[in-house]
C-alpha cells in the first residue's frame, strides 16, 4: 500500500488539526484491545495522544515501547487526552523492542529503584515524569543565560583538562595528557577570572565540573554542571548576592511560566525569591544552631545537618526558603577568596542555601597579585604553578567577584528529588561510570 501523505504533527498540537488527516510518530505508551477496537496511547516528545485502531489494524499486537507512525483523521473524543483522538487508517511499525522492558513506563509513577532506573537511563527518561526533570533543568539553564546576556555578560567556555586544582582538597581526577599529568577541572574558577581580566568584565559559563568525591551522598556527583558567573568592578560581596537574587528570581519565574506541565508532574512550584535574601554570618549561624537546636558546629563551614537546621530557622522566622551564609573564615575557603580587612581571619565570601542545601558558593576575589601570591603560599601552594593566572593580575586586574550554582542540586531542590543524580542525564558517582 502506498504511504498516505499527511502532515506530521505532535501529540500536543492534535486539537488544532480537528478534521484533518495527520500523522503522529512516537512510542506505544500503552495499547488496549477491546473487541474489534484497539486504543493506543502514543507518546512523543510533547506528550500523549489517543489513537484508535479498528478491524485488521486492531488485530496486530502492539507491544509497549514499539515505535510507530499512525495516520488518520482527527476526531473529537472527550475521554481522550486533549479531547481529541486520531482514527487510524494507516499504521507503520518502525521498530519493536527485542528484549523485555526493564520496567513499565505507562504508570504515573515508575515502580523501580534509583539504581535500576539509572542502569536503564535512556529508557527510563522516556517516562513523562522522569523525562520532565531534564526539561525543567533546560529551562533553568536557558533563563540563566537569558538573564545574564541581558545584563551584558558574555558566555564563555574554558578548558576542562587543566594543570592544577582550584578548589583545594584532594578531589581531583588525574588524567594522562600526552606525556604529562593533568586533571579534570574542578571548576572554571581561574579561567573565568582570567577572562574578566581579559577585558570582558562580565562572563558566565555553563559547563561540567569534576570532583573526585569519595562520598555516597544524595547531593554529590563526580561530574556536575556548574553555572558560573564572574564580574569586574564589584567592590562588595553585597552586589554579588543581589545579582544572584535577581538572577534566581528570573530563573524561577521563567521555569514556572515555561515548564508548568513538567513542574505539575512533580507537584512542584519554585519557591518565591524575596527581594532581599537574609544574610547570616557563619559565626552567628553556629551560635543560632547551638542556642536553638543544641547543635555544636566546628569552626568553619556548616555541615549538612547545620545547613538544614539554619534553613529551618530562617523559614520559621517567616523569611522564606533561602539564606546567604557569609563571612567564612579564610581556612575554609580557597586561596582566591578576598580576606576582609575589617574582620581579620574572615573572607568576603558567601554560600547560598535553599531549603536546607547549599546551591552556591561565591564571593569577592583577591585582585592584588602580591596578596594572591601570599594567599597561595599560606596554603602551601606554589605560585610558579599558577604563573599564567598570576600574569593577568600583574598586568592590571580590576576588583571582581562571582559565584557558581550547581545545576543538578538546584533542579533537585525545585522538584523535590530525593537525589541530585536524578537531575543528571547520565550521572557519574563513586560507583557509576556507565551508562
Ligand atoms: P563550590 O565548590 O562550592 O564553589 O561549587 C559551587 C556549587 O556547585 C555545586 N557543587 C556540586 N554539585 C554536585 N556535586 C558536587 N560534587 C558538587 N560540588 C559543588 C554546589 C555548589 O554550591 N569556584 C567556586 C565558585 C565561585 O566561588 O565562583 C566553586 O566551585 O551547588
Amino acid at each position: 500500500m502506498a504511504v498516505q501523505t499527511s502532515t506530521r504533527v505532535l501529540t500536543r498540537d492534535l486539537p488544532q488539526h480537528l478534521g484533518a488527516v495527520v500523522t503522529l510518530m512516537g512510542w506505544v505508551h500503552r495499547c488496549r484491545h477491546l473487541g474489534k477496537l484497539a486504543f493506543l496511547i502514543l507518546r512523543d516528545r510533547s506528550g500523549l495522544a489517543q489513537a484508535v485502531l479498528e478491524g485488521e489494524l486492531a488485530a496486530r499486537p502492539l507491544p509497549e515501547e514499539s515505535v510507530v507512525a499512525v495516520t488518520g483523521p482527527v476526531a473529537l473524543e472527550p475521554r481522550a487526552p486533549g479531547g481529541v483522538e486520531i482514527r487510524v487508517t494507516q499504521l507503520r511499525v518502525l521498530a519493536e523492542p527485542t528484549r523485555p522492558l526493564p520496567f513499565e513506563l505507562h504508570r504515573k509513577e515508575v515502580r523501580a529503584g534509583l539504581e535500576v532506573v539509572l542502569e536503564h537511563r535512556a529508557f527510563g527518561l522516556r517516562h513523562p515524569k522522569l523525562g520532565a526533570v531534564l526539561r525543567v533543568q533546560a529551562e533553568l539553564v536557558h533563563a540563566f543565560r537569558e538573564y545574564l546576556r541581558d545584563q551584558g555578560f558574555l558566555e564563555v567556555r574554558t578548558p576542562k583538562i587543566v594543570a592544577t586544582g582550584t578548589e583545594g582538597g584532594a578531589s581531583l581526577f588525574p588524567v594522562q595528557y600526552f606525556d604529562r599529568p593533568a586533571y579534570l577541572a574542578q571548576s572554571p574558577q581561574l579561567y573565568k577570572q582570567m577572562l574578566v581580566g581579559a577585558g570582558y568584565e562580565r562572563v558566565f559559563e555553563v559547563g561540567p565540573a569534576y570532583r573526585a568525591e569519595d562520598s555516597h551522598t544524595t547531593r554529590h556527583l563526580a561530574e556536575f554542571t556548574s553555572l558560573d558567573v564572574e564580574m569586574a568592578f564589584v567592590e562588595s560581596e553585597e552586589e554579588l548576592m543581589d545579582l544572584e537574587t535577581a538572577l534566581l528570581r528570573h530563573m524561577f519565574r521563567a521555569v514556572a511560566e515555561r515548564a508548568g506541565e513538567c513542574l505539575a508532574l512533580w507537584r512542584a512550584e519554585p519557591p518565591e525569591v524575596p527581594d532581599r535574601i537574609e544574610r547570616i554570618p557563619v559565626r552567628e549561624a553556629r551560635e543560632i544552631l547551638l542556642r536553638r537546636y543544641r547543635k555544636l558546629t566546628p569552626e568553619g563551614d556548616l555541615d549538612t545537618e547545620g545547613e538544614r537546621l539554619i534553613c529551618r530557622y530562617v523559614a520559621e522566622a517567616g523569611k522564606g526558603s533561602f539564606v546567604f551564609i557569609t563571612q567564612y573564615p579564610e581556612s575554609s575557603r580557597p586561596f582566591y577568596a578576598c580576606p576582609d580587612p575589617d574582620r581579620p581571619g574572615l573572607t568576603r565570601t558567601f554560600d547560598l542555601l535553599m531549603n536546607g542545601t547549599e546551591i552556591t558558593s561565591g564571593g569577592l576575589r583577591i585582585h592584588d597579585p602580591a596578596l594572591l601570591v601570599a594567599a597561595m603560599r599560606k596554603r602551601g601552594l606554589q605560585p610558579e604553578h599558577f604563573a599564567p593566572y598570576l600574569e593577568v593580575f600583574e598586568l592590571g586586574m580590576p576588583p571582581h567577584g562571582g559565584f557558581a550554582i550547581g545545576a543538578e542540586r538546584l533542579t533537585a531542590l525545585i522538584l523535590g528529588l530525593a537525589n541530585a543524580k536524578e537531575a543528571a542525564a547520565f550521572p557519574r558517582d563513586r560507583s557509576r561510570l556507565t551508562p
Side-chain angles (χ1 to χ4, degrees):
M1 189 171 74
V3 173
Q4 218 169 317
T5 55
S6 66
T7 332
R8 192 195 150 200
V9 302
L10 291 174
T11 56
R12 181 186 54 208
D13 301 331
L14 211 54
Q16 296 163 26
H17 296 274
L18 192 62
V21 172
V22 300
T23 296
L24 292 177
M25 292 186 179
W27 285 261
V28 175
H29 193 61
R30 194 111 221 237
C31 188
R32 275 191 254 221
H33 292 264
L34 290 175
K36 289 203 170 82
L37 295 179
F39 293 90
L40 163 67
I41 302 295
L42 182 142
R43 186 183 67 244
D44 65 9
R45 68 177 192 273
S46 72
L48 303 172
Q50 179 163 292
V52 184
L53 304 135
E54 239 185 303
E56 237 169 70
L57 290 178
R60 175 169 187 175
L62 281 177
E64 278 161 28
E65 299 311 310
S66 302
V67 183
V68 296
V70 294
T71 300
V74 182
L76 278 177
E77 174 46 68
R79 285 163 297 180
V84 294
E85 66 183 13
I86 176 166
R87 307 243 160 102
V88 181
T89 52
Q90 188 181 73
L91 164 73
R92 285 192 294 146
V93 177
L94 307 175
E96 264 185 68
T98 56
R99 53 188 273 178
L101 304 187
F103 42 87
E104 287 177 331
L105 294 183
H106 65 82
R107 295 179 198 284
K108 269 204 160 144
E109 305 289 331
V110 167
R111 295 182 187 168
L114 182 60
E115 284 309 309
V116 175
V117 167
L118 294 181
E119 200 57 46
H120 305 281
R121 190 58 167 154
F123 171 77
L125 286 171
R126 290 182 191 170
H127 186 269
K129 189 170 172 183
L130 300 192
V133 176
L134 298 188
R135 296 180 197 278
V136 165
Q137 190 171 80
E139 289 302 341
L140 285 170
V141 172
H142 179 75
F144 173 82
R145 288 198 161 100
E146 189 175 60
Y147 186 82
L148 291 170
R149 283 176 60 109
D150 214 46
Q151 300 293 317
F153 284 78
L154 181 77
E155 177 161 9
V156 297
R157 266 162 293 279
T158 63
K160 301 305 158 207
I161 303 175
V162 298
T164 55
T166 54
E167 304 306 318
S171 61
L172 279 166
F173 282 113
V175 291
Q176 186 64 32
Y177 189 67
F178 303 106
D179 55 352
R180 276 179 290 172
Y183 305 96
L184 295 179
Q186 288 170 306
S187 117
Q189 184 62 38
L190 306 190
Y191 289 101
K192 68 177 179 173
Q193 290 184 263
M194 289 165 81
L195 288 169
V196 162
Y200 295 112
E201 298 180 22
R202 296 175 163 214
V203 298
F204 72 90
E205 177 168 3
V206 176
Y210 299 90
R211 307 278 167 102
E213 311 268 6
D214 211 1
S215 51
H216 287 273
T217 74
T218 55
R219 45 159 68 179
H220 288 98
L221 293 155
E223 180 180 57
F224 69 96
T225 303
S226 189
L227 308 178
D228 269 88
V229 176
E230 197 73 16
M231 70 190 287
F233 304 112
V234 271
E235 294 185 78
S236 161
E237 63 278 30
E238 285 295 321
E239 290 172 59
L240 297 165
M241 290 188 269
D242 288 344
L243 171 69
E244 183 170 17
T245 305
L247 169 64
L248 286 175
R249 186 175 314 121
H250 175 79
M251 289 166 71
F252 285 16
R253 286 195 180 153
V255 83
E257 266 169 37
R258 300 170 195 162
E261 282 177 26
C262 294
L263 293 170
L265 288 172
W266 287 90
R267 294 205 178 83
E269 226 178 285
E272 190 58 36
V273 184
D275 288 341
R276 189 176 185 283
I277 294 175
E278 186 77 355
R279 279 84 153 135
I280 304 182
V282 69
R283 187 199 297 164
E284 211 176 287
R286 288 171 54 225
E287 286 164 11
I288 294 169
L289 291 175
L290 186 61
R291 206 172 57 235
R292 279 283 286 248
Y293 305 104
R294 300 265 145 252
K295 180 177 164 51
L296 267 174
T297 312
E299 188 103 30
D301 213 344
L302 305 182
D303 58 15
T304 313
E305 175 72 354
E307 288 178 357
R308 193 178 66 74
L309 290 173
I310 203 74
C311 281
R312 189 169 127 192
Y313 170 80
V314 171
E316 283 173 1
K319 292 182 175 157
S321 312
F322 301 89
V323 56
F324 280 114
I325 305 296
T326 60
Q327 299 176 16
Y328 283 90
E330 271 175 50
S331 57
S332 68
R333 299 305 264 208
F335 69 84
Y336 53 78
C338 186
D340 189 338
D342 300 328
R343 299 185 183 90
L346 303 185
T347 58
R348 303 185 64 178
T349 57
F350 57 85
D351 275 7
L352 177 61
L353 313 186
M354 169 178 164
N355 287 337
T357 302
E358 175 204 313
I359 55 166
T360 290
S361 289
L364 277 192
R365 322 299 189 188
I366 298 175
H367 72 281
D368 176 309
L371 284 182
L372 202 49
V373 166
M376 287 174 178
R377 292 226 163 91
K378 208 165 160 182
R379 285 167 176 80
L381 298 168
Q382 289 171 282
E384 309 79 75
H385 293 164
F386 296 86
Y389 171 69
L390 284 169
E391 185 190 72
V392 196
F393 290 74
E394 289 156 357
L395 295 174
M397 186 69 163
H400 64 284
F403 54 86
I405 309 172
E408 292 82 2
R409 278 197 200 172
L410 183 66
T411 312
L413 283 166
I414 290 177
L415 293 176
L417 308 180
N419 196 315
K421 284 172 210 162
E422 296 173 63
F426 298 101
R428 294 284 174 264
D429 64 22
R430 184 72 182 82
S431 49
R432 183 168 292 285
L433 189 55
T434 59

